[in-house]
């Protein structure tokens, strides 16, 4: 345990604060920004795919709840460092209980996201070796991640992670997760995803596809995490990479789900394409789903009604008559006078 000594003037140097609280705070900012994307992607999923299988809905709920819990736990840890320990010289030398819980839930959330990636790889490639490798590596990463949290619960000093066997356990945990991310990204990039996924539509969609939904950003940040932790294990410079990589895995899995065609749009489009109806509205012809003007999705031929309106001026001053004729093509051409109004105004 680090002894809590009341701070004296000049005892907390700016360099020390930057290397401890500053690093932790930077990671917290990035994590909360990415949490906003998690919430937004979850909302988009339930808005666009209300008829998905219950297991898929449960996966999104679980990922969103785990990500929320992870964010809350890290927020409480930062509050403890900035508020509860403010009068003391000890800052971020030791992990809090909530941070240890954060490590456990982060490992579980990454595991759930990578299991979904394994399922997506199987659906896209039918490659049992690749999807099985992702599942096995994700399971190993989960086990080692829980072991890392157990070590932190027992010995909460961050600097002790730099010594064996703690360093080996933490490094292997990061390596397993990174390896699963690399296999996922390579498999989804090598094989084009089938319908109803709609990736690579334009430059922006391509960038989102490779960096987020296919797990590119997640494994890159996690790979950087390995190098930072192995290179400087005594410092907590690895924490910002750790908390942000967890978010990227969760966001990537939900974004991949949201990259599918909207089920309602697909249904409407298929109904319109199966209809041979041709309609002319305002000079725009529509046939088999193509139009030069307005577009209407309809599965049955429409009845066209032509309305003609005429205005007649009588010779008598202040007297006008209106006539409306309607022509419908239901059983044949019929012309009938529907209404005639006469209005007399007395000129003053």
């Amino acid at each position: 345990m680090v002894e809590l000594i009341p701070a004296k003037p000049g005892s907390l140097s700016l360099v020390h604060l930057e290397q401890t609280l500053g690093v932790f705070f930077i990671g917290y900012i990035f994590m909360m920004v990415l949490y906003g994307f998690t919430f937004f992607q979850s909302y988009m999923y339930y808005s666009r795919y209300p008829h998905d299988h219950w297991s898929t809905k449960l996966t999104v709920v679980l990922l969103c709840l785990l990500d929320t819990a992870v964010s809350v736990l890290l927020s409480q840890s930062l509050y403890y460092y900035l508020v509860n320990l403010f009068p003391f010289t000890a800052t971020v030398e030791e992990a809090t209980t909530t941070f240890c819980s954060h490590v456990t839930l982060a490992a579980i959330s990454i595991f759930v996201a990578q299991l979904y990636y394994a399922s997506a790889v199987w659906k896209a490639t039918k490659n049992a070796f690749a999807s099985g490798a992702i599942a096995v590596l994700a399971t190993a990463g989960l086990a080692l991640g829980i072991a890392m949290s157990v070590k932190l619960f027992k010995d909460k000093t961050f600097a002790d992670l730099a010594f064996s066997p703690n360093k080996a356990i933490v490094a292997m945990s990061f390596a397993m997760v990174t390896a699963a991310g690399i296999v996922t990204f390579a498999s989804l990039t090598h094989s084009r995803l089938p319908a109803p996924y709609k990736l690579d539509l334009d430059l922006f969609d391509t960038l989102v596809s490779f960096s987020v939904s296919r797990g590119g950003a997640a494994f890159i940040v996690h790979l950087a995490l390995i190098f930072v932790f192995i290179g400087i294990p005594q410092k907590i410079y690895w924490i910002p990479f750790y908390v942000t990589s967890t978010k990227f895995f969760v966001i990537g899995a939900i974004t991949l789900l949201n990259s599918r065609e909207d089920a309602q749009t697909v249904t409407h489009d298929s109904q319109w394409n199966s209809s041979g109806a041709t309609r002319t509205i305002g000079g725009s012809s529509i046939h088999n789903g193509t139009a030069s003007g307005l577009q209407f999705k309809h599965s049955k031929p429409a009845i066209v009604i032509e309305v003609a309106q005429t205005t007649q001026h009588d010779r008598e001053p202040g007297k006008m008559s209106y006539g409306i004729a309607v022509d419908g093509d239901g059983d044949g051409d019929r012309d009938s006078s529907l209404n005639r109004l006469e209005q007399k105004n007395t000129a003053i």
Side-chain angles (χ1 to χ4, degrees):
M1 293 290 294
V2 177
E3 184 180 359
L4 298 180
I5 304 174
K8 298 178 180 179
S11 60
L12 291 177
S13 65
L14 180 61
V15 175
H16 178 73
L17 290 175
E18 288 178 346
Q19 294 177 352
T20 53
L21 288 176
V23 172
F24 200 95
F25 185 70
I26 290 173
Y28 176 79
I29 291 176
F30 280 104
M31 185 200 70
M32 294 308 297
V33 170
L34 293 175
Y35 174 69
F37 285 98
T38 301
F39 187 84
F40 173 73
Q41 290 294 334
S42 301
Y43 171 78
M44 289 295 296
Y45 169 77
Y46 282 101
S47 299
R48 298 180 60 188
Y49 309 101
H51 304 297
D52 266 4
H53 193 266
W54 66 267
S55 60
T56 307
K57 293 182 178 179
L58 181 62
T59 301
V60 176
V61 169
L62 186 58
L63 286 173
C64 188
L65 290 179
L66 285 171
D67 204 42
T68 301
V70 164
S71 302
V72 171
L73 290 174
L74 196 68
S75 299
Q76 198 283 330
S77 298
L78 183 63
Y79 179 86
Y80 176 81
Y81 292 132
L82 292 178
V83 179
N84 295 353
L85 291 185
F86 175 72
F88 304 103
T89 56
T91 51
V92 197
E93 280 82 6
E94 288 190 350
T96 62
T97 301
T98 52
F99 184 84
C100 299
S101 303
H102 165 93
V103 173
T104 303
L105 293 183
I108 296 174
S109 61
I110 292 177
F111 173 72
V112 174
Q114 290 190 324
L115 280 188
Y116 171 73
Y117 272 127
S119 174
V121 168
W122 168 253
K123 292 178 182 179
T125 64
K126 300 300 179 183
N127 190 333
F129 177 78
S131 57
I134 296 171
V136 170
L137 291 171
T139 304
L142 172 65
L144 292 170
I146 294 177
M148 171 184 171
S149 66
V150 171
K151 291 290 184 181
L152 277 176
F153 272 114
K154 293 181 178 179
D155 184 4
K156 296 182 179 180
T157 304
F158 283 116
D160 290 344
L161 294 177
F163 305 102
S164 298
N166 297 340
K167 184 177 181 180
I169 293 175
V170 176
M172 287 298 297
S173 172
F174 296 160
M176 293 297 104
V177 173
T178 304
I182 293 175
V183 175
T184 299
F185 180 77
S187 300
L188 295 180
T189 303
H190 177 71
S191 227
R192 187 177 182 85
L193 291 181
Y197 294 96
K198 53 180 183 64
L199 302 176
D200 304 334
L201 296 180
D202 52 30
L203 180 60
F204 177 77
D205 289 331
T206 302
L207 179 62
V208 172
S209 170
F210 281 91
S211 63
V212 181
S213 62
R214 300 192 188 191
F219 93 80
I220 290 176
V221 175
H222 222 74
L223 184 63
L225 168 64
I226 296 176
F227 287 110
V228 173
F229 177 77
I230 294 178
I232 320 174
Q234 297 86 1
K235 303 293 183 178
I236 62 169
Y237 294 148
W238 56 272
I239 288 182
F241 295 92
Y242 178 73
V243 297
T244 54
S245 64
T246 303
K247 298 293 183 182
F248 275 121
F249 277 109
V250 173
I251 295 172
I254 304 177
T255 304
L256 185 62
L257 275 170
N258 288 338
S259 66
R260 299 171 297 164
E261 292 282 0
D262 193 337
Q264 297 179 356
T265 302
V266 173
T267 302
H268 288 313
D269 290 344
S270 61
Q271 290 178 352
W272 171 249
N273 291 332
S274 62
S275 172
T278 302
R279 301 173 62 182
T280 302
I281 301 179
S284 301
S285 62
I286 304 176
H287 184 67
N288 291 334
T290 60
S292 59
L294 300 176
Q295 294 188 12
F296 293 84
K297 294 180 176 64
H298 206 286
S299 59
K300 296 181 180 180
I303 298 176
V304 179
I305 299 177
E306 296 180 358
V307 180
Q309 179 174 337
T310 60
T311 303
Q312 297 179 354
H313 296 272
D314 292 341
R315 293 183 179 180
E316 295 182 275
K319 180 179 180 181
M320 301 177 65
S321 62
Y322 297 84
I324 299 177
V326 179
D327 180 23
D329 61 350
D331 298 329
D333 294 333
R334 295 179 301 175
D335 296 330
S336 61
S337 177
L338 299 181
N339 186 20
R340 180 175 298 273
L341 302 174
E342 293 184 0
Q343 179 182 359
K344 295 183 178 180
N345 297 322
T346 303
I348 301 175

